[in-house]
Amino acid sequence: MKQPTGSYPHVRVRDDGRAVVSQAGSVLLVETARKTGLDRAISAALAPWRKPRAVHDPGKVLLDLALAVTLGGDCLADVALLRSEPAVFGPVASDPTVSRLIDTLATAGGKALTAIRAARAEVRSRAWKLAADRTPDADGRVTVDLDGVLVVAHSDKQDAAPTWKKTYGHHPLMGFVDHGPGGTGEAVAALLRPGNAGSNTAADHISAARLALAQLPKKYRRGRQTLIRCDSAGGTHEFVAWLAQRGRWLSYSVGMVITEAIHSHVLKIPASAWTPAVETDGEVRDGAWVAELAGDVLDGWPKGMRLIVRRERPHPGAQLRITDADGMRITCFATNTPDRPIAELELRHRMRARAEDRIRAARSTGLRNLPLHDTAQNQVWLEIVQIALDLLAWMPMLALTGKARLWEPRRLRLRLFTAAGQLVTTGRRSILRLARHWPWTNEITDALERLALLPSPG
């Protein structure tokens, strides 16, 4: 009996294969773009920047870049991945054409960005309608999380600067729509800022909130049904006042810095006033309690604001901070939601931690670095990243079920998008045959069937 010479089988490789398609599972993204009308909307938005007798549509070029980023690309040249599979992605522009378009859009500045954002907002409304009861507003409310992201720069790019974490790069402020425990999230704002931009700059939070609200369907751009949630970086008088401004009437859940006044009030809270914190399943959270502050600590803040503090026994080995009290970790947040138990409100605010998952997904989808030099170019890149993140949120929302809907970008790429297939042409139809032995082939085919049942735009 012949003994094996290694751990893996020896395979002979030849370069004469025909009708073989790599990244065949990415047809899920192409179909999502088609059913939501994203391709048409982006094409119409960028029509003013299409030159006479141009071969490639600027909207198609931008969407190709977003698809490349969705599949794991992190620079303009990675659009070559799509160019190698014309049967799936159609004709793809050359690298020089792609670079010229980015330069053109960067030169146009705010006009081009406004056009792209308007197209995304239009498509978002359609995607939510198609998803029916699986949308992030299924309960009639929408939650938007704002958070900053540090993007390290490995070269001297425009506006790159030292950051508060002693790195060097940029400090964008992002906004995400939370899909809740049954889904992921959508990127709705990306404000590019220098690396030394302040974490608690109220003007930047207001700008990011405006961008995020403009991406929502019109009925959610004002009113209590829209919740703006952020950490203590947003806990400034100016930002909270802007959220609660008459006529805007937004709900908010904003982290607060433990000031000396808050700390002194916490020390005066009687033991009977503390309420046990709860978990998502309704069970009591071990070693955590919440209480509401009142009195002069609310002076100067908008009317109707509630200040809720939480104390929790630190994890073993955790170091206490100067703002902690009696061996307990103290945190605080403000909200204007009335008539709801403080334990429920604290749990809602704690769910802001899902924004960290969205940031992790963004880092693996084009936000690990900003590949271009000029700030205007990198702002266009951030719009491309947001389109990619939209596709990664809409496709599971419309086509996947169960645990698959919660898969993050890396898992979607490894299990679905990288599946190979064989392209068969019969008559006037092209059929893509996926490998039967691939464990997730049924996930792909079932998802395509669900997308096929959706009405086409127009």
Side-chain angles (χ1 to χ4, degrees):
M1 180 176 177
K2 188 176 180 180
Q3 295 295 325
T5 58
S7 301
Y8 299 96
H10 180 69
V11 179
R12 295 183 182 274
V13 179
R14 294 182 178 179
D15 61 356
D16 57 354
R18 296 180 181 179
V20 178
V21 178
S22 61
Q23 304 286 338
S26 57
V27 294
L28 287 169
L29 299 171
V30 174
E31 285 303 308
T32 300
R34 181 180 292 115
K35 287 295 185 177
T36 57
L38 180 62
D39 52 346
R40 295 186 181 187
I42 296 293
S43 179
L46 297 186
W49 287 275
R50 181 167 187 171
K51 296 181 180 179
R53 295 185 294 178
V55 175
H56 295 282
D57 176 20
K60 171 68 162 56
V61 175
L62 197 77
L63 188 54
D64 283 344
L65 279 170
L67 286 169
V69 172
T70 306
L71 296 176
D74 61 1
C75 66
L76 301 183
D78 286 334
V79 77
L81 178 66
L82 276 62
R83 195 182 300 119
S84 64
E85 297 295 349
V88 176
F89 301 105
V92 176
S94 64
D95 289 349
T97 300
V98 171
S99 296
R100 284 195 296 269
L101 175 64
I102 297 301
D103 289 340
T104 300
L105 297 179
T107 302
K111 291 183 178 180
L113 296 176
T114 300
I116 296 171
R117 290 164 181 166
R120 290 178 52 227
E122 173 191 340
V123 177
R124 194 179 316 281
S125 295
R126 174 172 172 78
W128 288 16
K129 289 179 181 178
L130 291 175
D133 60 348
R134 305 177 69 196
T135 61
D137 67 332
D139 60 352
R141 294 175 291 182
V142 174
T143 299
V144 177
D145 291 314
L146 301 181
D147 208 347
V149 186
L150 293 182
V151 181
V152 175
H154 299 284
S155 61
D156 192 16
K157 299 175 182 179
Q158 187 178 13
D159 285 339
T163 71
W164 61 275
K165 278 196 173 182
K166 302 186 185 301
T167 58
Y168 182 80
H170 297 82
H171 189 187
L173 188 58
M174 304 285 294
F176 302 94
V177 170
D178 183 22
H179 282 214
T184 55
E186 303 174 36
V188 288
L191 184 66
L192 185 57
R193 306 187 300 167
N196 56 2
S199 297
N200 58 349
T201 305
D204 290 346
H205 278 79
I206 292 173
S207 297
R210 289 185 187 276
L211 292 176
L213 293 171
Q215 284 297 307
L216 303 180
K218 288 185 178 180
K219 64 180 180 178
Y220 294 116
R221 294 178 185 177
R222 65 181 66 229
R224 295 293 191 207
Q225 71 274 18
T226 301
L227 173 69
I228 304 295
R229 196 165 55 183
C230 61
D231 58 14
S232 59
T236 59
H237 284 78
E238 295 85 351
F239 183 52
V240 174
W242 183 87
L243 292 172
Q245 186 176 350
R246 189 179 186 86
R248 190 169 288 116
W249 303 120
L250 296 168
S251 296
Y252 59 83
S253 184
V254 179
M256 301 291 287
V257 175
I258 304 295
T259 62
E260 185 177 346
I262 293 176
H263 191 263
S264 62
H265 275 71
V266 170
L267 296 178
K268 298 175 183 177
I269 299 176
S272 59
W274 290 100
T275 301
V278 296
E279 298 284 11
T280 53
D281 58 2
E283 296 295 325
V284 172
R285 183 178 176 87
D286 185 40
W289 300 267
V290 293
E292 184 170 0
L293 298 182
D296 58 0
V297 73
L298 295 175
D299 291 348
W301 292 95
K303 184 179 179 181
M305 190 181 93
R306 304 174 69 183
L307 200 58
I308 300 171
V309 294
R310 172 173 174 260
R311 68 175 186 177
E312 184 172 21
R313 192 176 297 115
H315 297 294
Q319 291 185 346
L320 292 175
R321 297 173 294 194
I322 194 172
T323 54
D324 295 335
D326 298 330
M328 294 287 187
R329 176 63 46 84
I330 303 297
T331 56
C332 180
F333 71 97
T335 183
N336 61 344
T337 303
D339 304 326
R340 288 179 65 178
I342 58 176
E344 181 181 338
L345 295 174
E346 191 276 331
L347 174 63
R348 184 186 69 175
H349 184 75
R350 202 186 329 142
M351 291 300 100
R352 194 200 66 81
R354 282 198 285 258
E356 300 299 329
D357 298 331
R358 308 289 81 79
I359 291 174
R360 183 174 62 252
R363 289 187 186 279
S364 66
T365 311
L367 202 61
R368 184 177 62 84
N369 66 79
L370 299 177
L372 305 170
H373 178 271
D374 295 347
T375 297
Q377 294 174 327
N378 282 322
Q379 184 63 68
V380 175
W381 177 261
L382 280 184
E383 294 301 318
I384 293 170
V385 169
Q386 289 178 87
I387 295 174
L389 292 171
D390 284 342
L391 286 171
L392 288 170
W394 294 338
M395 188 277 290
M397 181 176 70
L398 295 173
L400 298 181
T401 59
K403 293 183 178 179
R405 192 185 169 189
L406 296 173
W407 288 351
E408 292 195 358
R410 289 175 179 172
R411 181 160 291 183
L412 288 171
R413 291 169 194 141
L414 289 173
R415 295 187 175 184
L416 302 186
F417 303 154
T418 58
Q422 181 184 21
L423 189 66
V424 179
T425 303
T426 171
R428 296 183 178 180
R429 294 186 304 170
S430 295
I431 301 174
L432 189 59
R433 293 179 174 173
L434 302 178
R436 184 176 298 174
H437 69 274
W438 188 251
W440 303 283
T441 292
N442 287 339
E443 289 281 2
I444 300 173
T445 55
D446 291 347
L448 288 171
E449 289 178 2
R450 296 186 189 99
L451 289 173
L453 294 174
L454 298 177
S456 298

